[in-house]
Amino acid sequence: MSTATPTRAPEQDDTSGQQPGDGRVGGGLFDPKQLVTSLPDALRKLNPRVMVKSPVMFVVEVGSVLTTIFACLSPSDWFGWAIAVWLWLTVIFANLAEAVAEGRGKAQADTLRKAKTDTVARRLNGTDEEQVPGTELRVGDLVVCEAGDIIPGDGDVVEGVASVDESAITGESAPVIRESGGDRCAVTGGTKVLSDRIVIKITTKPGETFIDRMINLVEGAARQKTPNEIALNILLASLTIVFLLAVVTLQPFAIYAGAEQPMIVLLALLVCLIPTTIGALLSAIGIAGMDRLVQRNVLAMSGRAVEAAGDVSTLLLDKTGTITYGNRRAAEFVPVPGADETELADAAQLSSLSDETPEGRSVVELAREKYALREGEFNADTLTGAEWIPFTAQTRMSGVDVDGRKIRKGASGSVLAWVQERGGEATEDARQLADTISQAGGTPLLVALEDESGPRVLGVIHLKDVVKDGMRERFVELRKMGIKTVMITGDNPLTAKAIAEEAGVDDFLAEATPEDKMALIKREQAGGKLVAMTGDGTNDAPALAQADVGVAMNTGTS
């Protein structure tokens, strides 16, 4: 598996731990602790069935064994022991460099396992609750989850309704409603409850959960060799055979000349003639390149990934957190006909002052930046006499009652129903505005106000997953390099198309599951193309493992 991992965008570089004066972060991959940890794997690679995959180093290993045997037959021959030691060090060094790279590549599966084993569940035992590790849950167990809790296992909601953040699993930033009954009761282990309280019935056996399937996909992924690797292996194998034949023919000539050579000398000569240095240092050179990258805040988990990146012809990009910022942000305030835009912005900001979600903070900031409303340190704590209405999964709206005004902000159906219950009229214009924003790939939040003029809808807050600055220009550069870009997202096709057009990618795959991503990569690879995949969510891990180059973005949703 080859994986390169930019830890943050260049403009967000963390300067902590930098070397004085050079702008680089300290440390690298040549960590003594990492070398000691990888040594057992390097020794296991001495298995001939593993070494035979590298003809050069396999010949060196055979020479090491024979040299050791001859040295044992002549214990006083220091020259034989010196040759044996150097040959073994050469083989172990080559394996150690590769073991370091592979050891870092195992981090994806280990991270998934940690997410599974660290979760604590509140299991119901009659009327009492008991805390147990998530791995001890069995089919039929009932667990309680409240706001802020991590759901410990796959199951169905049997009591209550809640808003759930599934971004760590799906990669999509918008929370979803999960409630008992119907087709919205299924929940996935590893997701986070944002509001309310739900009771979940576990429906999967240990080892069969979503995260377990992700681990199996990661560990079962296989990477194809790059054309450069194939060509170099053929060259090294050919040179090894040529020099092996040359050394074999030397002994008959030496015997004929009366100068028979010891086998240890011939073995040492063979190792010197064949491209041992290239074979042994291939992994080490990759590690050195990885060490240079890590000083630039880019963590490359395999030297092969660095080499393969130059031959990539297809780049797959997860949308949320990679192409977009990963959190929906307020883009504009759209008033209904007859309403004032400033009044809408004022009401939207007031209703969001106590909302600490990224969406709520973006509404406050947009009103401040565009309309200069409540600038400075003004917040929910400084607004006196206000009664805050928190968001719940049942009402699907929040708001504030202050100064004789009642303001509500939330889902279209909920806000319109609130206006009608208060004796107001839910205008068709509000529905059309909400539908238009939805069709464009955005999320509409209606804002309603009740004052001395009565209840009415003021307009819509347009939330959108904002495309990162400069993405279109970067895709143009990739296109000039002959690299095809494909956006992958769990969004519906309509939303995916809108964002793909805004970002400027060549193609997109909507409503994609982890299996769909794997299938797309394998189809591209079957056509002889080298594929790079970028992603940031747990659901991207199998695709990152299968791709020739996996780029794990650490600035997105997970």
Side-chain angles (χ1 to χ4, degrees):
M1 178 181 68
S2 303
T3 308
T5 310
T7 58
R8 53 182 64 83
E11 64 272 17
Q12 297 172 311
D13 284 352
D14 184 2
T15 59
S16 61
Q18 288 182 347
Q19 302 292 350
D22 66 0
R24 302 183 184 185
V25 297
L29 297 182
F30 292 107
D31 180 7
K33 183 178 179 181
Q34 180 69 40
L35 294 175
V36 172
T37 303
S38 302
L39 184 58
D41 288 333
L43 296 177
R44 280 192 288 269
K45 288 179 177 293
L46 293 176
N47 187 327
R49 289 177 294 183
V50 176
M51 295 295 298
V52 75
K53 297 177 182 178
S54 175
V56 175
M57 299 314 300
F58 177 70
V59 171
V60 176
E61 183 182 38
V62 172
S64 303
V65 173
L66 294 177
T67 303
T68 303
I69 293 174
F70 290 128
C72 291
L73 295 177
S74 302
S76 59
D77 185 6
W78 65 267
F79 176 76
W81 285 110
I83 294 297
V85 170
W86 276 111
L87 293 186
W88 280 117
L89 287 177
T90 301
V91 177
I92 294 175
F93 174 81
N95 288 347
L96 183 61
E98 188 173 353
V100 170
E102 291 181 356
R104 293 184 176 273
K106 296 174 182 177
Q108 287 176 315
D110 293 340
T111 300
L112 291 173
R113 287 193 181 92
K114 188 175 185 294
K116 182 178 68 171
T117 56
D118 286 357
T119 304
V120 177
R122 297 164 54 189
R123 184 168 61 187
L124 286 177
N125 185 8
T127 57
D128 300 326
E129 292 183 11
E130 58 178 348
Q131 292 192 345
V132 298
T135 52
E136 292 185 9
L137 294 176
R138 298 294 182 265
V139 175
D141 284 349
L142 296 177
V143 295
V144 177
C145 290
E146 296 179 338
D149 290 345
I150 300 297
I151 296 177
D154 299 354
D156 293 332
V157 178
V158 295
E159 180 183 323
V161 55
S163 176
V164 179
D165 178 8
E166 296 186 343
S167 60
I169 298 297
T170 65
E172 303 306 323
S173 58
V176 297
I177 301 297
R178 292 290 178 252
E179 57 187 350
S180 59
D183 57 356
R184 295 191 299 175
C185 64
V187 292
T188 305
T191 56
K192 184 178 183 179
V193 178
L194 298 180
S195 69
D196 304 281
R197 176 184 184 274
I198 52 177
V199 178
I200 301 168
K201 181 179 181 180
I202 301 300
T203 58
T204 54
K205 299 178 182 178
E208 298 180 3
T209 64
F210 178 87
I211 292 182
D212 288 313
R213 296 201 303 273
M214 295 300 99
I215 293 173
N216 292 335
L217 287 173
V218 169
E219 294 181 334
R223 188 190 69 87
Q224 63 177 3
K225 287 187 176 182
T226 67
N228 291 342
E229 285 182 89
I230 296 174
L232 184 59
N233 283 336
I234 293 174
L235 174 63
L236 295 182
S238 301
L239 291 176
T240 300
I241 294 174
V242 169
F243 287 116
L244 180 62
L245 293 175
V247 171
V248 168
T249 57
L250 283 179
Q251 188 70 307
F253 287 105
I255 294 174
Y256 180 77
E260 182 178 353
Q261 298 298 314
M263 287 299 298
I264 290 181
V265 172
L266 293 176
L267 289 170
L269 177 62
L270 173 62
V271 172
C272 290
L273 288 176
I274 64 176
T276 308
T277 304
I278 298 177
L281 293 182
L282 274 179
S283 296
I285 292 170
I287 294 293
M290 293 156 62
D291 187 68
R292 293 287 298 274
L293 284 174
V294 82
Q295 297 178 34
R296 299 292 184 184
N297 287 330
V298 180
L299 176 60
M301 295 171 67
S302 168
R304 293 177 179 177
V306 180
E307 189 263 332
D311 297 318
V312 165
S313 55
T314 302
L315 174 62
L316 310 182
L317 304 106
D318 178 61
K319 184 207 75 176
T320 308
T322 304
I323 294 178
T324 65
Y325 282 105
N327 289 312
R328 298 173 301 167
R329 299 184 178 185
E332 61 179 330
F333 300 115
V334 186
V336 297
D340 181 69
E341 187 173 347
T342 303
E343 184 183 23
L344 168 62
D346 178 75
Q349 188 188 57
L350 271 176
S351 65
S352 302
L353 285 176
S354 66
D355 187 351
E356 292 301 322
T357 65
E359 294 89 347
R361 290 194 296 269
S362 71
V363 171
V364 175
E365 291 302 319
L366 180 62
R368 284 176 178 169
E369 295 172 2
K370 192 172 182 180
Y371 303 94
L373 295 172
R374 301 179 183 87
E375 296 180 309
E377 298 299 324
F378 193 92
N379 54 43
D381 296 331
T382 59
L383 185 64
T384 58
E387 180 183 352
W388 301 104
I389 311 300
F391 174 87
T392 67
Q394 291 90 343
T395 62
R396 300 187 66 190
M397 62 181 180
S398 60
V400 62
D401 295 345
V402 62
D403 297 334
R405 293 184 294 171
K406 296 181 183 292
I407 304 172
R408 296 295 183 268
K409 171 196 72 176
S412 303
S414 300
V415 174
L416 291 175
W418 181 82
V419 171
Q420 290 175 330
E421 288 174 2
R422 314 292 293 187
E425 181 180 354
T427 63
E428 188 62 30
D429 293 329
R431 298 181 189 275
Q432 291 179 355
L433 283 177
D435 291 342
T436 300
I437 291 174
S438 297
Q439 291 170 3
T443 301
L445 290 181
L446 260 62
V447 178
L449 168 67
E450 182 183 11
D451 56 12
E452 63 275 5
S453 300
R456 60 194 182 278
V457 176
L458 295 179
V460 183
I461 304 171
H462 181 184
L463 296 179
K464 60 185 296 187
D465 199 354
V466 181
V467 174
K468 293 180 180 179
D469 297 335
M471 293 304 294
R472 177 175 286 273
E473 291 74 16
R474 294 179 186 181
F475 291 146
V476 169
E477 294 178 5
L478 290 172
R479 198 171 295 114
K480 291 179 180 178
M481 297 166 62
I483 298 176
K484 176 185 175 183
T485 54
V486 181
M487 183 186 79
I488 301 178
T489 177
D491 286 335
N492 63 71
L494 196 63
T495 300
K497 181 180 179 182
I499 295 178
E501 291 176 351
E502 182 180 355
V505 295
D506 296 320
D507 200 358
F508 68 90
L509 176 65
E511 297 179 341
T513 65
E515 290 79 8
D516 292 335
K517 298 176 185 180
M518 291 276 285
L520 176 59
I521 292 173
K522 290 179 179 179
R523 285 199 301 270
E524 293 287 326
Q525 291 174 336
K529 299 179 180 179
L530 289 184
V531 179
M533 167 72 190
T534 71
D536 67 325
T538 304
N539 68 318
D540 297 319
L544 291 171
Q546 178 63 40
D548 301 290
V549 179
V551 184
M553 307 296 293
N554 199 30
T555 55
T557 57
S558 178

